[in-house]
Amino acid sequence: MIARSVFDEEHNIFRESVRRFYEEHITPHRSEWEKDGHISREAWLEAGRQGLLCMPIPEEYGGLGADKLYSIIMMEEQARAGASGPGFSLHSEIVAPYILNYGTEEQKKKFLPKLVSGEMIGAIAMTEPGAGSDLQGVKTRAVKDGDDYIINGSKTFITNGFMSDLVIVVAKTDPEAGAKGTTLFLVEADQNGFSKGRNLEKLGLKSQDTAELFFDDVRVPASNILGGEGQGFICLMQELAWERLQIAIAAVATMEIVLEETIEYTKERSAFGRNVIQFQNTKFKLAEAKTEVQIARVFVDKCIEELLKGELDVPTAAMAKYWCSDLENKVIDECLQLHGGYGYMWEYRVARAYADARVQRIYGGTNEIMKEIISRSL
Ligand SMILES: Cc1cc2nc3c(=O)[nH]c(=O)nc-3n(C[C@H](O)[C@H](O)[C@H](O)COP(=O)(O)OP(=O)(O)OC[C@H]3O[C@@H](n4cnc5c(N)ncnc54)[C@H](O)[C@@H]3O)c2cc1C
């Protein structure tokens, strides 16, 4: 197999400690958190104590100023642990960077240290009941009132929403101005008029909190605008390549571990007097999956290299997101089939991976939207 070359020795040592974190603090609580529909606050705080949240945030705001490879290890190990509950990467790699990149000094000092420690849980609220792929259709309004803005509207499918302490809200400040009339607001959970709806019941990601959020005359000062009035879309566009690559990274790491376990399972399980791996169908299915996962791994590692150089473009990241998440669904489906009835049982990783994988083709921009983006670059 082609050896990976993106990580050095320090990264490998760090990977061991992250693996231990998931084994000790996340995996043992899986069933309990699946019933709760969210992980515990203590898990967020422990991740913070171990320095595993918002690692790229500079030291002056409490972070480690680490390179993105550390964040990638965190994502890969989360996938390896089959821990689909923690919304750590959205918090650390989407919410915190928005504040770092577009926030005022005051906003950075106020929020970043608490996001790093896990005292505050971050979310980003773009999607609404009537607007997902087409974000221009956002109806949430923020109307200027003296030095404040008053926000009205609702959001849905918000990761970390139920436990969120800080939400980046996408709202229209000038509905006539199209993309230029969209602004990002920082809204804290205790602000009057802000409420959380149900923690939504989902097909997979059972212990990940995904909620509806409501804004009913929420008054926020103009100093809570993130990135300037009318700059919302411009901010949202800046980190798209990284945000989408994260989905591909998780997809490949998940496929690798599911495939590894499936190979082991088929070596042990017997039927008709032989091990299941000895049937030609099994060998060919596994050979196909191994080949495709290897291709995905090489492509994603190349994308990671481009990302580190600051050269990963949006269409290439869209290719990685769409192709790897489609492949993830296909490979996991084949692996589940090779497990027979046990593959359908929740206690088996492959069953949970099957349920969790489906949304990878939907969130972060649907795979159809990814193809739109790629086709525009042709
Ligand atoms: C578990 C989960 C977590 C999520 N987390 C967040 C979050 O933290 N924050 C947040 O803001 N959102 C979040 N989302 C929302 C997610 O980003 C949207 O669901 C997604 O962008 C699709 O939007 P939609 O659901 O409105 O589907 P729609 O936009 O209504 O799409 C319906 C179908 O039409 C297709 N379609 C739409 N437009 C086109 C087009 N131009 N060409 C071809 N086909 C098209 C789509 O691909 C899809 O197949 C989450 C969703 C889920 C399920």
Side-chain angles (χ1 to χ4, degrees):
M1 292 301 116
I2 297 170
R4 299 186 72 183
S5 55
V6 281
F7 301 107
D8 64 25
E9 198 42 39
E10 271 189 34
H11 293 122
N12 295 339
I13 294 167
F14 174 72
R15 184 183 290 280
E16 291 304 316
S17 66
V18 176
R19 193 165 292 183
R20 269 198 307 280
F21 165 76
Y22 281 106
E23 280 166 7
E24 289 170 16
H25 299 284
I26 304 293
T27 307
H29 304 287
R30 198 188 65 225
S31 304
E32 167 200 340
W33 291 345
E34 281 175 356
K35 286 194 197 89
D36 295 344
H38 57 83
I39 73 166
S40 69
R41 263 197 187 265
E42 180 47 33
W44 281 93
L45 292 169
E46 183 59 31
R49 277 194 288 274
Q50 296 202 19
L52 299 175
L53 297 176
C54 311
M55 287 180 283
I57 296 299
E59 288 176 27
E60 57 182 309
Y61 304 115
L64 301 173
D67 68 51
K68 279 203 170 66
L69 287 168
Y70 288 89
S71 314
I72 290 167
I73 290 170
M74 188 74 184
M75 292 168 203
E76 290 182 350
E77 288 305 312
Q78 182 163 339
R80 194 183 163 84
S84 60
F88 293 154
S89 54
L90 182 123
H91 168 95
S92 299
E93 304 302 328
I94 298 181
V95 174
Y98 271 101
I99 298 173
L100 179 70
N101 296 336
Y102 314 120
T104 60
E105 198 49 38
E106 190 193 344
Q107 290 169 343
K108 292 187 215 183
K109 286 205 172 105
K110 182 171 178 194
F111 296 118
L112 288 175
K114 289 187 175 169
L115 291 172
V116 171
S117 67
E119 286 165 82
M120 273 193 146
I121 298 172
I124 180 158
M126 297 175 273
T127 308
E128 300 184 354
S133 304
D134 182 12
L135 276 184
Q136 307 261 12
V138 158
K139 293 268 184 297
T140 297
R141 276 295 310 268
V143 178
K144 201 162 182 2
D145 184 46
D147 288 338
D148 299 333
Y149 284 79
I150 299 181
I151 304 175
N152 277 290
S154 66
K155 299 286 178 180
T156 194
F157 307 149
I158 307 306
T159 302
N160 296 340
F162 190 68
M163 294 184 77
S164 63
D165 304 295
L166 179 66
V167 185
I168 299 174
V169 180
V170 177
K172 284 268 165 84
T173 36
D174 182 357
E176 310 304 315
K180 289 187 183 136
T182 304
T183 304
L184 306 182
F185 288 87
L186 289 164
V187 177
E188 289 179 73
D190 57 6
Q191 246 144 336
N192 276 342
F194 174 40
S195 60
K196 299 169 180 178
R198 308 176 285 139
N199 189 4
L200 301 165
E201 272 187 60
K202 303 187 291 300
L203 173 70
L205 304 181
K206 294 288 187 192
S207 53
Q208 187 165 113
D209 112 44
T210 310
E212 296 172 304
L213 303 177
F214 302 102
F215 305 88
D216 186 11
D217 285 334
V218 177
R219 181 178 282 276
V220 293
S223 58
N224 279 35
I225 288 181
L226 183 62
E229 184 171 334
Q231 298 298 304
F233 261 99
I234 295 166
C235 296
L236 291 172
M237 297 297 140
Q238 299 304 314
E239 292 288 322
L240 283 179
W242 170 224
E243 290 166 18
R244 289 178 179 148
L245 184 61
Q246 293 177 33
I247 294 174
I249 287 167
V252 177
T254 303
M255 284 190 276
E256 285 174 339
I257 183 71
V258 169
L259 183 56
E260 203 179 300
E261 288 193 357
T262 305
I263 293 168
E264 287 313 308
Y265 181 84
T266 56
K267 281 181 181 171
E268 282 163 20
R269 178 78 178 166
S270 56
F272 296 97
R274 11 184 194 161
N275 293 330
V276 168
I277 200 166
Q278 290 172 304
F279 297 116
Q280 190 187 53
N281 176 67
T282 309
K283 286 189 284 190
F284 283 13
K285 289 291 179 203
L286 290 172
E288 286 166 14
K290 187 80 184 171
T291 307
E292 288 172 315
V293 174
Q294 173 71 92
I295 293 166
R297 163 54 65 217
V298 171
F299 179 48
V300 166
D301 277 1
K302 185 69 190 165
C303 288
I304 291 173
E305 283 173 20
E306 297 293 298
L307 177 88
L308 295 176
K309 286 189 276 170
E311 288 173 10
L312 181 67
D313 61 55
V314 170
T316 308
M319 290 175 194
K321 191 274 174 184
Y322 124 67
W323 193 75
C324 293
S325 61
D326 268 10
L327 183 65
E328 180 186 16
N329 278 260
K330 181 182 147 202
V331 165
I332 293 173
D333 183 53
E334 296 287 9
C335 287
L336 190 151
Q337 187 71 13
L338 293 175
H339 278 75
Y342 289 102
Y344 198 68
M345 298 299 128
W346 196 247
E347 68 192 273
Y348 278 74
R349 174 200 292 271
V350 71
R352 299 191 303 276
Y354 179 86
D356 292 345
R358 190 61 185 82
V359 76
Q360 292 259 90
R361 291 161 57 193
I362 297 170
Y363 61 18
T366 66
N367 284 5
E368 292 72 33
I369 296 296
M370 295 305 105
K371 290 177 202 175
E372 265 297 314
I373 292 166
I374 298 160
S375 63
R376 274 182 226 143
S377 74
L378 302 181

